[in-house]
Amino acid sequence: MRVPLSWLREYVDLPATETGRDVQAKLISAGLEVETVEHLGADLKGPLVVGQVLTIEELEGFKKPIRFCTVDVGRANGTGEPQEIVCGARNFSVGDKVVVVLPGATLPGGFSISARKTYGKVSHGMICSSDELGMGDDGTHGIIVLPPETEVGKDAVELLELVDEVLDIAVTANRGDCLSIRGVARETAIAYGLPLRDPALLDVPGPNAFGYPVKVSDPAGCDRFTARTVTGLSPEARSPIWLQRRLQKVGMRSISLAVDVTNYVMMELGQPLHAYDRHQVQGTIGVRRAQEGEKIVTLDGVERKLHAEDLVITDDRGPIGLAGVMGGADTEIADHDPAEEGVAATTDVIIEAAHFDQVSVARTARRHKLSSEASRRFERGVDPQAASAAAQRTVDLLVLLAGGTAEAGVTEVIAPSAPHTITLAADHPDKVAGVTYGRETVVRRLQEVGCDVYGQDELIVTVPSWRPDLTDPNDLAEEVIRLEGYENLPSTLPRPPAGRGLTGRQRLHRRIGRALAGAGYVEALNYPFVSEQVFDQLGLEADDPARRVVKLVNPLSDEEPALRTSLLPGLLAALRRNDGRGSHDLALFETGLVFQPRDAARVAANLPVDRRPSPDDIAALNAALPDQPRHVAVVLAGAREQAGWWGKGRPADWADAVEAARTVAREAGAELGIRKGQYGPWHPGRCAELTVTVDGDERVVGHAGELHPRVLKTLGLPARACAMELDLDVLERVGDTVPQAPSISTFPVATQDVALVVDAYVPAADVEAALREGAGELLESIRLFDVYENAEQLGEGRKSLAYALRFRADDRTLTVDEASAAREAAVALATDRTGAVLRG
């Protein structure tokens, strides 16, 4: 919100010596975020005067049109003679009043003006555009043409209000009242302890039966609708300079008088308004929800298909505006333009000042990707009591500036509502801040905000209509604290107990991150938001639990409204983004929370702020939140080992993804089972199912392997990309993180190799499990070192698995017979369970 200091002074009698920086410091102390103070005209130096064009001579022989003008500037040049000026603009004619800068002046940016020869003529000054004066673009892209009644020779610096200070305030979402000069003036008055001249305190006639007919069918969406009519507007009437300049200073462009007036009142009072061409409105104005499939062409010229939740303004034809967002083109105010034949300028207007539901306006604006000054205000909260005053202010200005006549009819449709009251303990702000303010200070500060306060130890506070953000005692406590000054709160540093350091869970997560980084992976942190379409892209079944998501009420993007149930969508997007930018050899990992909805939805209670939450408070809060287990995931693509003089290198494959899972399991101290599996985005023939034993039951905790070619194509990923994802919380629960010292034996190892022929479909993990169990306690380790397939030697559909078995005893040297017996027992159990046959 841009706030000119000159406009602010109209409502608050600030000391003449106060600068924009002083006001900035006061408002920041009161809790408003004033980002910058812009000094308009700080380096501007006159003479800058109003002149009248006397003659124009077109200069020939140049690449662009050039005009040699004589301009009457009165006695401003000291002689009274016409000023000779060369100008390239073409939007002015003989007799027009323009802004002239004379030699010796300095324009914004340090541009000094002097007499100089150009295009064969001597130019004594310059005819100015709005850009050259630091006013911004006024839409004409040319010279400023002043109203005909402007006095020749008048000081243009004062006329155009070129010297001013503008405060740029970043208004937070809960302070919609400060999206207006009125709201900022109220805060300024409180900060300085000065009275406020409230611009909304106007004499407003009461509603009567002669107003324009209005029917509100959805009082929940529109609880107040005021309509006023002004007739007989002059088609030639233009916005005066002071009105245009104020709009420019707050960042708006002048359009036409009627539209400028509604924008001016919106910036002044914070109440969005809309003006309809009365002759274009057919029948009763209505407010209702849109019918599915209805369409409207908005003022920006875009045809929009309406949603059933959109709140619309209608007449007998259908929708004529998106309530609180933007009006429709059918009833647009038509400005007088002599160049457009057959287009009649608007002379009669209907002024709408209404109050719409915040959530409805916000959803409509986001649904149609149509943010406007009106929607910004309604989303943050508008004073419903200001509607009638804003309508009256608009009517008064149109009558004053356009020669219109205000009709006696006043329409007000109001849904009954009671003022919001809050019960507040008088010492509650003291408890929150840890400072003793006392009852008198609390009452005084709340009254300054606009609250009505009654009671002694227990206060009954009635919240003002312009502060819908004050909903509970803590909000009122915050008002007292901020107005008393955040800088006056004592600073008390917390005293954490010494020597505790990281928790066991934090140490585990850190070890896993370091282990993966040591294995060549780079950590990539991604947003936890996903689109539900990503589950189709990953090939998940319709009944997959991962499709049950937690949806956000106010997502950052409507395209990603859900919280993730897997880390893969974010990591794969990062993989695609980096591959598209030239990094083709990639290994990324992430550890983070995923979100799983609970079966029964609960509403979280507000935690106390005057004391530390109890364990029961925290437990109740956690019970209302979705389950949030921590996962770990990796993705790989391109080369796993680079080629060079040392060798050909090696591409990443499914085995690297499985090894990443083993790395994580080793750090967690968990025993990970690996077997053939099939799930979602993984290639059915190159997917490993990862399991652990929890309380005696085997549980699947993740998958690893190569991604399905169909998924790679859908997501635009490089060929043969691989991925792994594990439930880290389950690994932590079953793991043993106590460091285990390696056992060192003084007795030699006995090595036995065995090659078994099994059916091709038998998993090597099943054969290994049988060998491990059959070998007994003497087996120290087992390793698969060869897989061989040859139909001629082994038979069709058969394969050979070769294992190296290491045997060792703790108390003696094993004999050949003992090692052979253990080997034969292992083979016997493998034969019994998997049908294995010794090869050869």
Side-chain angles (χ1 to χ4, degrees):
M1 176 68 191
R2 291 171 57 84
V3 180
L5 190 59
S6 59
W7 199 350
L8 195 63
R9 289 182 182 273
E10 284 196 7
Y11 309 125
V12 184
D13 290 326
L14 294 172
T17 57
E18 287 295 287
T19 66
R21 294 291 186 190
D22 298 329
V23 177
Q24 178 189 30
K26 285 283 189 179
L27 293 180
I28 289 176
S29 178
L32 293 185
E33 187 178 344
V34 185
E35 294 186 328
T36 60
V37 178
E38 183 179 354
H39 297 270
L40 303 182
D43 51 357
L44 176 65
K45 186 177 73 171
L48 189 72
V49 298
V50 176
Q52 184 173 21
V53 181
L54 300 178
T55 64
I56 298 177
E57 176 188 349
E58 300 287 346
L59 300 182
E60 305 293 339
F62 300 102
K63 293 182 179 179
K64 62 179 182 178
I66 298 296
R67 311 167 96 186
F68 180 66
C69 310
T70 59
V71 185
D72 178 14
V73 294
R75 302 293 302 178
N77 57 2
T79 65
E81 296 296 322
Q83 202 80 0
E84 296 180 341
I85 298 174
V86 175
C87 184
R90 309 191 64 80
N91 68 313
F92 63 96
S93 307
V94 172
D96 282 346
K97 303 289 180 65
V98 295
V99 178
V100 179
V101 57
L102 300 177
T106 303
L107 293 182
F111 183 57
S112 298
I113 302 298
S114 61
R116 64 190 183 96
K117 188 173 182 179
T118 178
Y119 297 103
K121 300 284 185 178
V122 177
S123 181
H124 298 272
M126 189 169 74
I127 303 175
C128 297
S129 69
S130 58
D131 271 342
E132 290 164 340
L133 296 179
M135 297 166 58
D137 178 25
D138 61 357
T140 64
H141 302 287
I143 294 304
I144 300 173
V145 178
L146 300 172
E149 64 273 13
T150 310
E151 179 186 348
V152 172
K154 184 178 177 64
D155 184 2
V157 174
E158 179 183 350
L159 175 69
L160 299 177
E161 301 178 11
L162 296 179
V163 178
D164 202 351
E165 292 181 276
V166 179
L167 285 71
D168 193 352
I169 302 176
V171 180
T172 54
N174 65 321
R175 291 304 303 272
D177 61 305
C178 288
L179 285 174
S180 67
I181 303 297
R182 178 196 184 201
V184 177
R186 182 182 293 109
E187 290 295 316
T188 305
I190 295 172
Y192 279 91
L194 296 171
L196 169 71
R197 288 188 293 275
D198 192 342
L201 294 180
L202 301 175
D203 290 331
V204 180
N208 53 51
F210 308 108
Y212 197 91
V214 173
K215 180 182 179 182
V216 177
S217 302
D218 191 337
C222 175
D223 57 7
R224 182 181 291 263
F225 195 106
T226 300
R228 299 289 298 275
T229 304
V230 181
T231 60
L233 301 181
S234 171
E236 288 79 21
R238 294 291 177 268
S239 299
I241 293 175
W242 65 265
L243 178 58
Q244 295 183 41
R245 286 296 292 137
R246 286 197 168 175
L247 290 177
Q248 284 176 339
K249 290 177 184 178
V250 298
M252 303 188 78
R253 185 166 59 88
S254 176
I255 299 173
S256 66
L257 178 57
V259 176
D260 289 352
V261 167
T262 58
N263 286 337
Y264 177 84
V265 176
M266 176 180 66
M267 302 307 296
E268 182 180 54
L269 302 182
Q271 168 66 53
L273 301 110
H274 188 69
Y276 301 92
D277 188 328
R278 181 175 181 177
H279 298 295
Q280 301 300 326
V281 179
Q282 299 180 11
T284 301
I285 292 178
V287 183
R288 61 169 172 82
R289 297 290 172 176
Q291 297 174 6
E292 194 70 43
E294 279 187 314
K295 295 181 179 179
I296 183 176
V297 178
T298 45
L299 288 174
D300 57 358
V302 177
E303 183 180 78
R304 303 181 186 278
K305 187 175 180 181
L306 300 178
H307 189 275
E309 291 185 4
D310 291 335
L311 192 67
V312 293
I313 311 298
T314 65
D315 65 3
D316 290 350
R317 295 167 297 178
I320 59 173
L322 282 173
V325 181
M326 185 175 285
D330 291 342
T331 57
E332 181 180 6
I333 298 295
D335 195 16
H336 174 69
D337 188 350
E340 293 188 31
E341 297 182 1
V343 179
T346 299
T347 58
D348 301 340
V349 298
I350 301 172
I351 305 300
E352 166 211 302
H355 184 260
F356 301 111
D357 176 62
Q358 294 178 239
V359 175
S360 177
V361 172
R363 289 180 176 174
T364 297
R366 294 185 184 183
R367 190 178 297 118
H368 294 282
K369 296 180 174 62
L370 185 61
S371 179
S372 64
E373 291 289 343
S375 68
R376 285 183 64 219
R377 283 161 176 78
F378 279 121
E379 288 175 18
R380 290 160 175 78
V382 169
D383 181 5
Q385 303 293 336
S388 57
Q392 182 64 45
R393 176 74 164 140
T394 305
V395 169
D396 292 343
L397 287 173
L398 289 177
V399 170
L400 174 67
L401 302 177
T405 302
E407 289 196 350
V410 177
T411 303
E412 280 196 7
V413 180
I414 302 175
S417 62
H420 181 56
T421 60
I422 303 171
T423 301
L424 173 75
D427 62 349
H428 182 68
D430 302 3
K431 294 180 179 179
V432 173
V435 175
T436 302
Y437 293 123
R439 179 188 176 280
E440 290 185 3
T441 299
V442 172
V443 171
R444 175 171 56 85
R445 288 303 189 182
L446 293 179
Q447 288 175 339
E448 288 177 346
V449 171
C451 299
D452 291 329
V453 185
Y454 303 95
Q456 292 298 318
D457 294 338
E458 187 173 80
L459 306 178
I460 307 299
V461 182
T462 302
V463 174
S465 58
W466 56 82
R467 291 298 302 274
D469 59 305
L470 303 180
T471 60
D472 58 52
N474 293 328
D475 295 328
L476 299 179
E478 181 184 7
E479 292 300 297
V480 175
I481 295 168
R482 75 175 182 88
L483 294 179
E484 284 294 305
Y486 291 122
E487 68 276 11
N488 296 324
L489 294 178
S491 297
T492 305
L493 295 177
R495 296 180 179 178
R500 291 190 177 181
L502 300 177
T503 66
R505 186 179 188 186
Q506 291 170 332
R507 287 194 294 271
L508 172 62
H509 297 163
R510 183 167 294 188
R511 286 202 310 273
I512 289 173
R514 287 174 175 170
L516 290 174
Y521 291 87
V522 176
E523 187 170 15
L525 301 178
N526 300 289
Y527 286 117
F529 312 117
V530 296
S531 165
E532 291 184 87
Q533 285 73 27
V534 75
F535 302 125
D536 296 326
Q537 298 170 340
L538 292 177
L540 300 187
E541 299 292 338
D543 58 348
D544 194 296
R547 285 182 175 269
R548 293 186 63 236
V549 295
V550 177
K551 289 188 177 180
L552 299 173
V553 175
N554 56 341
L556 294 180
S557 169
D558 290 336
E559 296 178 357
E560 295 181 332
L563 292 172
R564 65 189 179 190
T565 56
S566 167
L567 301 182
L568 289 184
L571 273 178
L572 294 177
L575 181 72
R576 178 179 63 247
R577 185 162 53 251
N578 283 274
D579 181 72
R581 295 179 181 177
S583 298
H584 304 301
D585 303 326
L586 296 162
L588 308 177
F589 84 94
E590 180 179 11
T591 62
L593 301 179
V594 299
F595 304 86
Q596 299 167 352
R598 298 182 187 270
D599 296 331
R602 301 182 184 179
V603 177
N606 290 331
L607 292 179
V609 297
D610 57 344
R611 59 177 174 82
R612 177 183 176 85
S614 68
D616 291 340
D617 292 333
I618 297 176
L621 179 63
N622 288 333
L625 298 176
D627 287 327
Q628 301 176 54
R630 183 172 290 272
H631 282 201
V632 58
V634 305
V635 293
L636 305 100
R640 186 68 176 128
E641 295 177 3
Q642 295 291 336
W645 58 265
W646 53 84
K648 295 181 178 180
R650 178 178 67 82
D653 60 16
W654 62 269
D656 295 302
V658 174
E659 182 57 30
R662 288 194 177 101
T663 299
V664 173
R666 280 195 298 269
E667 293 299 326
E671 185 175 345
L672 193 66
I674 300 173
R675 65 189 183 200
K676 181 178 180 181
Q678 181 174 344
Y679 177 70
W682 281 277
H683 192 298
R686 298 166 188 162
C687 173
E689 192 172 73
L690 310 175
T691 65
V692 294
T693 302
V694 181
D695 298 330
D697 297 324
E698 190 176 60
R699 178 172 169 181
V700 177
V701 292
H703 295 82
E706 184 178 317
L707 296 174
H708 199 291
R710 181 173 61 249
V711 173
L712 300 179
K713 182 178 180 181
T714 302
L715 295 177
L717 299 172
R720 309 302 291 268
C722 303
M724 178 278 293
E725 183 166 14
L726 273 173
D727 188 329
L728 199 52
D729 282 358
V730 177
L731 283 183
E732 179 186 3
R733 186 166 52 161
V734 302
D736 182 6
T737 57
V738 177
Q740 299 290 333
S743 58
I744 301 175
S745 176
T746 58
F747 299 98
V749 65
T751 302
Q752 297 274 350
D753 293 344
V754 59
L756 301 175
V757 178
V758 296
D759 291 330
Y761 63 82
V762 175
D766 291 352
V767 177
E768 180 179 327
L771 290 173
R772 187 183 298 275
E773 183 179 344
E777 295 180 355
L778 295 179
L779 181 67
E780 183 178 79
S781 67
I782 180 172
R783 179 175 63 88
L784 175 67
F785 67 86
D786 183 56
V787 178
Y788 178 70
E789 295 182 2
N790 188 311
E792 294 181 2
Q793 296 184 16
L794 304 177
E796 192 68 34
R798 304 280 281 176
K799 65 182 177 182
S800 171
L801 304 175
Y803 293 89
L805 286 74
R806 291 167 58 92
F807 298 97
R808 195 194 307 260
D810 294 334
D811 55 350
R812 67 188 186 281
T813 299
L814 293 179
T815 64
V816 173
D817 292 339
E818 287 178 312
S820 297
R823 172 182 178 273
E824 291 170 2
V827 171
L829 188 58
T831 300
D832 182 54
R833 288 188 177 177
T834 65
V837 177
L838 271 173
R839 181 178 170 189

